Amino acid sequence: MIPAVRLGELLADMTTGRPAYRHLAAAIRRLILDGRIPVNVRLPAERELAPALALSRTTVSAAYELLRKSGYAHSRRGAGTWTALSDGTLSAAAPEPVATLSRPAGGGTLLPPPESIVDLATAAMSIPQDMLARDLAEASLRLPNRARTPGYYPYGLPELRTAVAARYTARGLSTDQEQILITTGAQQALSLTLSLLCRPGDRVLVESPSYPNALDAIRRAQLRPVAVPVTEDGWDGEVLASVLGQALPRFAYLVPAFHNPTGNLMPPEQCADVIGAARRPGTWLVVDETLADMALDTGPPPPFATYGEGNLISVGSLSKCYWGGLRVGWLRASPHVVAELAELRATVDVSGSVLDQLLAVSLLDRADGWLADRVDQVRRGRQALVTAMERHLPHWSWRLPPGGLSLWVDLRRPVASALAERALAHGLRIGGGARFGAEPGLYENRLRIPYTLPPSVLEEAVCRLGAISASGPPLGSGTAGSRNEWVA
């Protein structure tokens, strides 16, 4: 149940809108759609909420009735009023029309966009051709030494494991080669960890919103996600600790370093609190740090495991900060866990590409200087995106993240799926907020917009978005398509 005081803090001043009951219903609906109020939780009793908001009980009762009619709440006899998500079939009394959502569990189109389409669904960067050519040449010089071997390295090339361990050590977390397993991207690291630690039906704590491909992997493993909200203000430590203590999840998937998609950075004291809260029920923490190097307005954060070890697996990758075409990722865990995961990995693909790993070694050898240039490039892209949006889409809102690769944009209306569908027909592919929700139907008022493309392309993309959102029939009055778009 949501305490009346807590809901009152989220709703702030409810005495200014008129009529008050519609104002209250619309505010609660926005909190549900934005993930700030979970689905299937009990709202405060009318007699408790009315004084907390300085409203009459009649006003609260009418607001709850409006939420029920519009599909955002339902009542259980003797059990109060519970939050829900509308199926899109709203009565005339609904606060606003909302596009119908249809998102199949897992799967989706993996076809790459045509060259003529501007791709804003992928938060990753290209790699400079001269740099790729130089490092490929260096890797090719090392390749003959490996050609005399069978070429299978289930743990990863020793020199790459050493290089990754050295990166952790340089960031303040002493790490040995035996604690590193090289994988085919961070996605494989997560999938292997799910296979080792969980069984179908296990509860898994996830953030909402979160990285869609991770959520899909959790669903495919037939696990039961238990969501904790991540807002523009970050994580609610009390909620996190409460879910860990009450749901007793087997596993928790977190993105604390420039969270995808919000860009938030978890404070050091909260990192330590989460580790302590997870230790009590024996929950495994799987921490995705693929964006940790993209620190734009702050120093690079230390590894999460710096704040405490235990049942903790860290996941990293070269895909986001270096190049997505280089399918090299890794995980850091105890040597015992690494050995078990390597044995499991041998049943999946035995070993990764030797050439890719040698190229990764060359890139990591120059990481310090090169990453500084990449961060500057991303910072310029962020400024270009913000400037373009201020010019073409001033009615949308966002909070500038301290790092990461994208903005989490509030459209102020639940029209993201309809807008993404219309944008695709105009040569623009974009990730609607619903793809990032732990439950289908959330974040229909959100878009994730990466700033990884060149500034001129970002300007053109935002110009198109502005024209699309202002033209044609009103967004939200129709039905969004059922395409489950792939995002990265």
Side-chain angles (χ1 to χ4, degrees):
M1 174 180 171
I2 303 173
V5 173
R6 177 62 173 155
L7 184 56
E9 292 172 352
L10 292 172
L11 292 169
D13 187 5
M14 285 288 109
T15 62
T16 57
R18 292 292 182 268
Y21 78 97
R22 283 187 172 272
H23 183 53
L24 175 58
I28 293 175
R29 177 182 60 84
R30 283 194 297 270
L31 290 173
I32 294 171
L33 285 172
D34 206 31
R36 293 173 181 258
I37 298 179
V39 179
N40 297 321
V41 300
R42 185 156 63 92
L43 290 167
E46 296 166 9
R47 66 179 180 276
E48 297 172 351
L49 186 59
L53 298 178
L55 296 173
S56 70
R57 184 169 174 179
T58 301
T59 297
V60 175
S61 178
Y64 278 13
E65 178 61 22
L66 187 55
L67 288 170
R68 285 190 287 267
K69 286 182 178 179
S70 60
Y72 290 96
H74 61 88
S75 295
R76 302 177 187 174
R77 185 177 297 275
T81 301
W82 296 67
T83 58
L85 280 174
S86 170
D87 63 2
T89 306
L90 305 183
S91 71
E96 290 180 23
V98 180
T100 301
L101 292 173
S102 177
R103 180 159 74 91
T109 174
L110 296 182
L111 295 176
E115 293 297 324
S116 60
I117 288 182
V118 177
D119 185 11
L120 286 180
T122 302
M125 293 179 285
S126 60
I127 187 171
Q129 294 181 16
D130 57 343
M131 178 173 295
L132 180 61
R134 181 195 64 198
D135 288 319
L136 273 173
E138 184 173 309
S140 67
L141 296 176
R142 301 176 180 179
L143 190 58
N145 291 332
R146 296 296 171 183
R148 292 189 288 270
T149 73
Y152 294 112
Y153 298 91
Y155 287 85
L157 283 182
E159 54 263 54
L160 181 54
R161 296 175 72 198
T162 298
V164 172
R167 292 292 297 169
Y168 278 105
T169 300
R171 291 172 56 206
L173 180 63
S174 179
T175 302
D176 297 326
Q177 174 183 313
E178 289 73 21
Q179 294 174 270
I180 301 297
L181 176 70
I182 304 301
T183 60
T184 306
Q187 191 70 18
Q188 186 187 58
L190 174 62
S191 296
L192 289 173
T193 304
L194 288 171
S195 298
L196 178 67
L197 299 181
C198 301
R199 297 293 178 267
D202 282 350
R203 290 189 183 93
V204 175
L205 184 149
V206 298
E207 299 157 327
S208 188
S210 188
Y211 182 50
N213 296 331
L215 294 174
D216 287 343
I218 288 167
R219 294 185 189 107
R220 289 194 188 97
Q222 301 178 49
L223 304 174
R224 293 187 290 167
V226 181
V228 296
V230 180
T231 70
E232 288 176 325
D233 297 320
W235 296 257
D236 187 318
E238 291 184 10
V239 172
L240 252 173
S242 175
V243 171
L244 285 168
Q246 295 180 27
L248 304 178
R250 173 67 176 157
F251 177 111
Y253 172 74
L254 303 174
V255 189
F258 310 123
H259 176 263
N260 188 357
T262 68
N264 286 323
L265 177 63
M266 186 178 286
E269 62 275 9
Q270 195 169 46
C271 295
D273 290 344
V274 169
I275 292 172
R279 188 179 294 121
R280 287 186 286 273
T283 298
W284 280 87
L285 291 176
V286 177
V287 178
D288 189 334
E289 297 181 305
T290 56
L291 290 169
D293 286 321
M294 285 295 104
L296 306 181
D297 296 332
T298 182
F304 192 86
T306 303
Y307 303 105
E309 293 278 0
N311 293 344
L312 200 158
I313 298 175
S314 300
V315 172
S317 170
L318 295 181
S319 297
K320 293 294 186 183
C321 303
Y322 292 80
W323 186 40
L326 189 65
R327 302 308 304 147
V328 172
W330 56 82
L331 58 83
R332 179 192 184 276
S334 69
H336 172 72
V337 171
V338 166
E340 289 195 63
L341 287 167
E343 184 177 345
L344 180 61
R345 189 259 177 89
T347 68
V348 178
D349 66 352
V350 183
S351 176
S353 161
V354 170
L355 181 58
D356 284 2
Q357 292 181 72
L358 287 173
L359 177 56
V361 172
S362 297
L363 287 169
L364 288 175
D365 283 347
R366 300 183 177 90
D368 291 335
W370 191 53
L371 276 174
D373 293 338
R374 296 292 260 185
V375 168
D376 286 341
Q377 174 189 340
V378 172
R379 196 180 285 118
R380 291 193 298 271
R382 185 184 63 174
Q383 183 57 53
L385 176 61
V386 167
T387 299
M389 290 182 63
E390 289 173 343
R391 181 183 304 121
H392 299 291
L393 294 162
H395 53 290
W396 291 359
S397 66
W398 58 89
R399 181 172 294 182
L400 206 64
L405 298 176
S406 57
L407 294 182
W408 186 232
V409 179
D410 188 351
L411 310 183
R412 300 183 183 274
R413 294 185 298 152
V415 296
S417 290
L419 179 61
E421 193 77 12
R422 188 181 292 180
L424 191 61
H426 290 76
L428 183 63
R429 199 172 80 92
I430 195 163
R435 280 293 283 124
F436 297 83
E439 298 183 58
L442 297 177
Y443 308 113
E444 265 297 288
N445 60 322
R446 295 280 183 171
L447 289 177
R448 186 194 70 170
I449 307 183
Y451 35 76
T452 51
L453 295 174
S456 60
V457 178
L458 291 171
E459 167 72 27
E460 171 62 23
V462 173
C463 184
R464 288 192 203 180
L465 270 178
I468 292 164
S469 63
S471 64
L475 287 167
S477 60
T479 300
S482 60
R483 182 184 291 105
N484 181 23
E485 292 186 354
W486 174 74
V487 299

